[in-house]
Amino acid sequence: GAMNHAGVIQALHAKHVLTPWAAQGGLVAPVIVRGEGRYLFDESGNRFFDLASGLIAVNLGHGHPKVVKAIQEQVATLQYAAPGLFNDKRAELAHELSEMSPWKGEGCRTFFTTTGAEANDDAVRLARSITGRTKVLTAYRSFHGSTGTSIILTGEDRRFGGEPGAPGIMRFFAPYPYRSPFWARTPEEETARAIESLERTLVHEDPKRVAAILIEPVVGSNGVIVYPEGYLPALRALTERHGILLICDEVMTGFGRTGAAFASQRFGVVPDVMTFAKGITSAYIPLGGVMIREKLAGTWDARALPSGHTYSGHPICVAAGLATLHAYKEEKLFDRAKEIEGWLMTRLAAIAGRHPIVGDARGVGAFFALELVKDRASKEPLVPWHGDGPGVMKNFYAELRKRGVITFGKFNCVMVAPPLTTTKPELDEALDGLDAALSAFAATL
C-alpha cells in the first residue's frame, strides 16, 4: 500500500538525489506529495504544520488559488520570452516593486534573477560597476547563498566548501545581543561597539576601496538575530559618510516576513540596493532580483549593464510574483505578520520559561527562533557552533515530526516562522507540538 510506496520513493531518493548541506548516509525525511494552506502532507496522508514556511519562503501558505491560477494562465499564454524583449507582467511587477520600495518619490529599477543567491552575486557586480570600487564587506554570522560570489559573501561555515573563491570580500562582526561579540551589557553599548569595530575594519581596508556593505537586516538561517534598535541606522550613516553602498539582503526578510513590506522599512533604514527572492512568489516558482534605487540605476543609461541570465524576469515567474503581491495586499498580510508577532512573543516566552533547554527566544514579525543551550547560566550551546558531530539535533526534528510539525534550523537554533496566513488556532496547535517535542527531546539528553 501507501507505506510501501513511500518506502520505494525514499529508497529512490537516497540512491539518486543529492540533498543539500548534509552527509548523504542515513538521511530520513517524509515524502511530501501535497500542500494545502499551512500544511504539508506525505504519501501516507500524515499532516505536518509548516512551521518554517518552507525555507522562510512560503509566506502565503501552500496552494493559494490566485497564485496557482496566475501560473496556470501564464503557462497557457506565454512560457518564455528572452529578457531583451519586453513583457507585460515583467514591467508591471517591476513597477509594483518600485511603488512598495523604501525609495519614496524616487523609486527603483529591478534586475530579475532566478534565485536569491544569484541576486546577491549580481548586486555585488552592479555595486562595483556603480562605484568603481572593488571591496565588499559582509558579516561573519551570515548566509547569502551558495553560487560563485554569494558563497564567499556568506560568513558562516557553509562558505568553506566554496573556498578559495571570489576575492575582495572582507568580514566584520555584527551585533548578536544574546552572545555579544563586543562584551556589551546593553543594546546601546552593543550598537556603539559594533559600529566602532566596523569602523576599525574599514580603516584597515581603506573605506575608499569599499564598494558595498552587504547585510541581512535580520540574520536569517543563522539564528534570527534581531539587531539592537539603533544599529542599522548607524550602519547606514557610516556607509553614507564613506560613499559605500548599503545592500540589504531581504531574501528571507522581504514581503511581510518582519511585519512590513521589507525589513529595511520595519527598522527605518533606506538602503541603496535590496536583493529579494523567496516570498516574491511565496516560493511557488523560483524568482529573485536586485532592486536598485533610481539615482544609482541611471548608471547604465549610457553604458551597458554588466550582467544577464536566460531566465531573467521569466514570464511564468513574474506572473506568479504579480499575483503574490496582489494577494499580500488584498489580505493585508504585512500587517498580519505584526499580529503573529504578538502571538509568537507570548507563546515562545512561556515555552522558554518552561524549558531550561531554551536559552533565548527571539524574533520579529512572523520570524522567530529558539536557541537551545546545555546550561542557561553559562549559555553553553546545546551543540557547538560549526558542529553537531553526534547529530543530536536530528532527534529533536524527529520528535517534532512525530507531533505533526516540520521546521529546520542551524546548529542550536530552531526556526519558528509560520506562513503569514496562519490562524491563531493553527499556530497554537503547532506550538503545542513544539512544546511537547522539547520535553521529549530534553528527556533524551
Side-chain angles (χ1 to χ4, degrees):
M3 273 314 293
N4 190 24
H5 188 231
V8 170
I9 298 292
Q10 278 172 323
L12 271 181
H13 185 109
K15 190 170 182 195
H16 298 293
V17 178
L18 288 169
T19 300
W21 310 122
Q24 304 299 302
L27 287 176
V28 183
V31 176
I32 301 299
V33 294
R34 188 165 72 84
E36 191 185 313
R38 272 58 65 195
Y39 297 94
L40 295 166
F41 296 83
D42 72 8
E43 280 224 309
S44 315
N46 296 310
R47 188 184 82 159
F48 302 94
F49 184 93
D50 188 356
L51 192 58
S53 306
L55 291 178
I56 324 293
V58 187
N59 292 1
L60 286 178
H62 300 273
H64 193 290
K66 289 204 165 144
V67 184
V68 171
K69 185 164 175 268
I71 292 171
Q72 288 168 335
E73 285 176 359
Q74 189 61 43
V75 167
T77 311
L78 172 70
Q79 304 75 41
Y80 180 74
L85 299 170
F86 289 12
N87 169 260
D88 53 349
K89 307 289 193 315
R90 194 187 287 152
E92 287 167 32
L93 179 57
H95 172 70
E96 294 214 4
L97 287 170
S98 180
E99 294 287 289
M100 68 191 279
S101 79
W103 302 293
K104 297 300 164 224
E106 179 185 347
C108 67
R109 298 187 215 177
T110 296
F111 180 70
F112 288 108
T113 66
T114 311
T115 65
E118 238 181 354
N120 285 330
D121 278 16
D122 284 322
V124 165
R125 189 184 310 171
L126 298 178
R128 287 170 171 158
S129 173
I130 290 166
T131 60
R133 303 171 178 189
T134 57
K135 294 186 182 191
V136 177
L137 267 60
T138 64
Y140 266 109
R141 198 172 172 120
S142 69
F143 182 75
H144 294 293
S146 83
T147 51
T149 302
S150 65
I151 193 67
I152 303 300
L153 294 168
T154 291
E156 41 107 323
D157 69 325
R158 284 179 281 186
R159 160 167 47 91
F160 304 159
E163 290 176 332
I169 293 158
M170 320 305 171
R171 261 164 280 281
F172 62 95
F173 286 100
Y176 181 5
Y178 181 61
R179 299 180 186 280
S180 172
F182 312 105
W183 299 278
R185 286 152 304 208
T186 65
E188 296 73 24
E189 203 168 53
E190 182 80 0
T191 288
R193 291 180 179 186
I195 291 293
E196 191 186 351
S197 168
L198 177 53
E199 282 179 320
R200 186 174 301 142
T201 302
L202 280 173
V203 165
H204 286 277
E205 294 296 346
D206 181 8
K208 288 192 247 350
R209 292 167 193 271
V210 177
I213 293 178
L214 171 67
I215 195 163
E216 299 168 281
V218 175
V219 174
S221 50
N222 287 279
V224 189
I225 297 157
V226 181
Y227 299 127
E229 206 180 330
Y231 178 70
L232 289 170
L235 176 63
R236 172 74 279 201
L238 177 65
T239 56
E240 279 175 339
R241 197 158 70 243
H242 294 295
I244 295 168
L245 301 186
L246 179 61
I247 307 174
C248 281
D249 175 341
E250 296 257 13
V251 172
M252 276 192 182
T253 51
F255 306 103
R257 182 52 59 184
T258 66
F262 298 99
S264 351
Q265 285 153 312
R266 175 77 200 249
F267 296 109
V269 283
V270 180
D272 297 301
V273 176
M274 295 195 304
T275 56
F276 66 84
K278 295 185 188 278
I280 180 73
T281 60
S282 187
Y284 289 14
I285 202 160
L287 177 65
V290 186
M291 294 162 70
I292 301 178
R293 65 188 310 170
E294 178 54 36
K295 69 177 189 192
L296 298 174
T299 300
W300 304 289
D301 285 342
R303 62 185 167 95
L305 181 96
S307 191
H309 309 287
T310 299
Y311 298 133
S312 184
H314 190 287
I316 298 170
C317 305
V318 291
L322 204 51
T324 303
L325 289 196
H326 293 165
Y328 288 142
K329 234 180 236 142
E330 286 159 20
E331 296 170 38
K332 300 190 167 57
L333 291 178
F334 299 169
D335 295 330
R336 189 65 190 292
K338 282 213 179 85
E339 197 180 351
I340 293 173
E341 178 179 310
W343 303 342
L344 285 172
M345 286 236 166
T346 310
R347 278 297 307 268
L348 293 180
I351 285 171
R354 263 198 307 285
H355 299 279
I357 192 178
V358 179
D360 196 26
R362 53 176 179 257
V364 61
F367 196 20
F368 278 71
L370 299 180
E371 180 162 348
L372 306 187
V373 293
K374 281 185 181 170
D375 177 76
R376 229 183 229 166
S378 73
K379 300 186 183 176
E380 187 192 343
L382 184 67
V383 296
W385 190 243
H386 287 178
D388 178 13
V392 173
M393 288 301 292
K394 73 174 187 293
N395 302 329
F396 171 68
Y397 295 109
E399 290 294 347
L400 256 185
R401 285 200 296 272
K402 280 184 207 164
R403 288 158 182 82
V405 180
I406 285 181
T407 188
F408 76 99
K410 187 156 173 65
F411 305 127
N412 66 325
C413 296
V414 176
M415 295 287 182
V416 182
L420 308 183
T421 50
T422 305
T423 65
K424 189 158 191 302
E426 287 172 335
L427 185 61
D428 279 334
E429 190 186 346
L431 295 176
D432 289 345
L434 178 69
D435 200 351
L438 283 166
S439 298
F441 176 56
T444 67
L445 296 171

